[in-house]
Amino acid sequence: MTPRDTQKERLRELPSVDQLAISVARAELKARREELLAGATDDVDLVHRARERLRPRLRRVLNATGVVVHTNLGRAPLAVEARAAVAKAAEGYCNLEFTLADGRRGSRSDHVDGVLCELTGAEAGLAVNNCAAAVLLATAALAGGHETVVARGQLIEIGGGFRIPEILAQAGTHLIEVGTTNRTRLADYAAALGPDIGAILRAHPSNFRTVGFVEDVDIEALCSLGVPVIDDLGSGVLRDDWDLLAQEPSVRRSVRAGAALVAFSGDKLLGGPQAGVLVGTRAAVHACRVHPLARAVRIDKLSLAALEATLALYRDPAAARRALPVLAMLDADPAVLERRARELADATGGRVVGAVARVGGGALPLLELSGPAVALDPGVAGADALAAALRLGEPALIGRVHEGQVLLDPRTLTDGEAQCAAQVVRAARA
Ligand SMILES: *Cc1c(COP(=O)(O)O)cnc(C)c1O
């Protein structure tokens, strides 16, 4: 087929005016009728609402907040390689649970098991839907029906309702708290280990720090107690030879220490898709694989494709730092940020000021990434009104309001996105 034929074909596939209009009008009128019956007295523009209904709800946005792993904005943008893998997996069929060598049924976890072992030194690995699911599955599989010991300082809330005590209850394990909020010692753990112990859980206090009179037990000592240790690292880092991320716990270290299971996120500092990764001993990973919850928290083929491609990049750490957007943004060349900020300021009539970017996603909460940002003149309407107008731009531009100014941080924009951001600013002003 020629491109012209394809175009004709696509034109023929468009729904008729009647079809489109009737379906949107029905939905809109039904919603309005319900509002009126519920007592609404406001005036609404139903045509505008119908137009909005036809736009995708999940939209591309320009992240100019300087928060690199922004959970509300979808966390990690994917590397080119991961995007290509997703497109390929989405386009046709794939050997998701099929062994090409013998034509038998295969396991979806086989696709990343090998590379996870290679990168972390673990005996086995498994990918699930997200790290919250990984922790739920790990505790259910190793300690369901038994006891789990957790330090009081680690009974944390990650956000989005993920609280360790509640997750343990859902996993069907009985929580035994040890130590105090600020200090827990090895002897506290040892004293709590009874005949019904299932596991010790260590949870990384990702998004806060306790300072001062504090003491906790390192992973090597915990593993020396002879009880299966589940180590929830949250973000975690795969490479422990990188200064910038040295404050985050390393996956390799926990594996080396002998943790039964180490859990970490696919879309925090790893820089991949939403996923949860479990690595550890063969027996512990097997227990997770065969647990009934495994099916409920399994990873889908698109995320799996992106995760495999992301992990493959880590085989060459220098290449990973360039190719993975999250790592590249954290490690951005100051000269590039300076130039991008200047161009954005010139194109928007803003000023280049000093600002602080953040990692986000509950990782490295104290790390400040200093760099330039563009402060926009808020005009008479003020900064909040300008920020709101930018959010309604096409595409939406999300900045940060700081001391009465809207700041645009070039760290979380590409060069192309920065040009696009300038157009959004000009359109919002016009
Ligand atoms: C972020 C985090 C989780 C949850 O990870 P998701 O991938 O967002 O589900 C679990 N535990 C810790 C310690 C975390 O920081």
Side-chain angles (χ1 to χ4, degrees):
M1 263 206 305
T2 66
R4 183 164 281 277
D5 288 340
T6 321
Q7 196 177 41
K8 273 193 196 144
E9 185 87 354
R10 300 298 296 262
L11 285 170
R12 262 199 302 274
E13 285 167 3
L14 283 175
S16 71
V17 173
D18 287 357
Q19 265 177 341
L20 194 63
I22 288 172
S23 116
V24 173
R26 278 213 180 109
E28 221 32 82
L29 290 173
K30 176 168 181 285
R32 187 57 189 161
R33 208 171 285 125
E34 279 163 14
E35 284 174 13
L36 291 173
L37 287 173
T41 53
D42 55 338
D43 282 327
V44 295
D45 181 349
L46 288 182
V47 174
H48 171 76
R49 294 221 303 208
R51 219 176 262 137
E52 278 298 304
R53 188 178 280 269
L54 289 169
R55 297 176 71 198
R57 290 292 304 256
L58 186 65
R59 291 181 211 155
R60 178 72 186 271
V61 308
L62 301 172
N63 174 11
T65 63
V67 179
V68 177
V69 183
H70 200 306
T71 296
N72 302 152
L73 302 184
R75 291 201 180 153
L78 296 179
V80 174
E81 291 81 352
R83 273 143 47 195
V86 172
K88 236 186 199 153
E91 195 178 337
Y93 298 95
C94 61
N95 62 335
L96 182 63
E97 292 184 352
F98 186 78
T99 312
L100 294 173
D102 60 12
R104 288 171 197 263
R105 183 183 175 134
S107 156
R108 68 179 65 207
S109 62
D110 286 351
H111 302 292
V112 287
D113 178 75
V115 67
L116 283 173
C117 295
E118 202 185 298
L119 294 173
T120 65
E123 289 174 8
L126 172 67
V128 294
N129 181 57
N130 58 12
C131 187
V135 175
L136 176 68
L137 178 61
T139 46
L142 297 196
H146 303 282
E147 294 169 349
T148 298
V149 174
V150 188
R152 287 203 167 87
Q154 294 172 13
L155 295 173
I156 53 179
E157 172 174 324
I158 301 305
F162 182 86
R163 296 172 145 196
I164 293 289
E166 288 163 17
I167 291 297
L168 293 184
Q170 292 296 324
T173 178
H174 181 62
L175 167 63
I176 306 281
E177 303 177 15
V178 296
T180 62
T181 304
N182 55 328
R183 306 192 90 187
T184 303
R185 304 189 189 84
L186 192 60
D188 296 321
Y189 284 98
L193 304 180
D196 197 30
I197 186 74
I200 292 172
L201 171 67
R202 185 176 84 142
H204 181 53
S206 310
N207 43 15
F208 71 98
R209 293 289 178 265
T210 43
V211 294
F213 193 55
V214 294
E215 183 176 346
D216 57 17
V217 183
D218 63 28
I219 187 69
E220 288 79 9
L222 279 187
C223 292
S224 75
L225 290 170
V227 166
V229 174
I230 299 167
D231 198 10
D232 173 16
L233 298 183
S235 177
V237 286
L238 267 191
R239 306 286 323 178
D240 34 20
D241 51 1
W242 204 22
D243 289 348
L244 183 64
L245 305 182
Q247 297 302 309
E248 277 293 306
S250 127
V251 177
R252 291 189 73 92
R253 176 175 168 185
S254 297
V255 169
R256 212 181 302 123
L261 289 170
V262 184
F264 55 100
S265 243
D267 55 357
K268 292 183 179 172
L269 291 173
L270 190 78
Q274 177 187 308
V277 179
L278 285 167
V279 294
T281 62
R282 210 166 279 119
V285 171
H286 179 74
C288 293
R289 277 200 185 140
V290 299
H291 191 277
L293 271 180
R295 173 63 176 77
V297 299
R298 76 181 182 188
I299 189 169
D300 83 294
K301 66 176 178 180
L302 303 184
S303 306
L304 188 61
L307 183 64
E308 185 188 17
T310 301
L311 290 168
L313 288 168
Y314 276 91
R315 290 190 169 118
D316 178 352
R321 277 167 74 158
R322 285 191 304 272
L324 291 165
V326 164
L327 299 185
M329 285 185 240
L330 292 176
D331 199 24
D333 180 353
V336 170
L337 294 180
E338 214 39 73
R339 183 212 11 100
R340 197 178 292 147
R342 237 185 358 260
E343 287 171 2
L344 187 54
D346 288 347
T348 57
R351 286 178 307 118
V352 177
V353 297
V356 171
R358 299 251 175 216
V359 175
L364 299 167
L366 305 185
L367 183 66
E368 301 191 331
L369 302 158
S370 45
V374 175
L376 299 175
D377 174 5
V380 282
D384 289 329
L386 177 59
L390 298 178
R391 282 198 307 276
L392 294 178
E394 194 58 62
L397 172 60
I398 321 291
R400 193 162 86 230
V401 175
H402 180 67
E403 293 177 354
Q405 289 184 312
V406 177
L407 296 183
L408 302 180
D409 195 312
R411 187 183 294 270
T412 43
L413 298 168
T414 63
D415 280 330
E417 286 177 329
Q419 284 176 12
C420 191
Q423 284 168 15
V424 174
V425 173
R426 286 197 298 265
R429 287 247 166 80

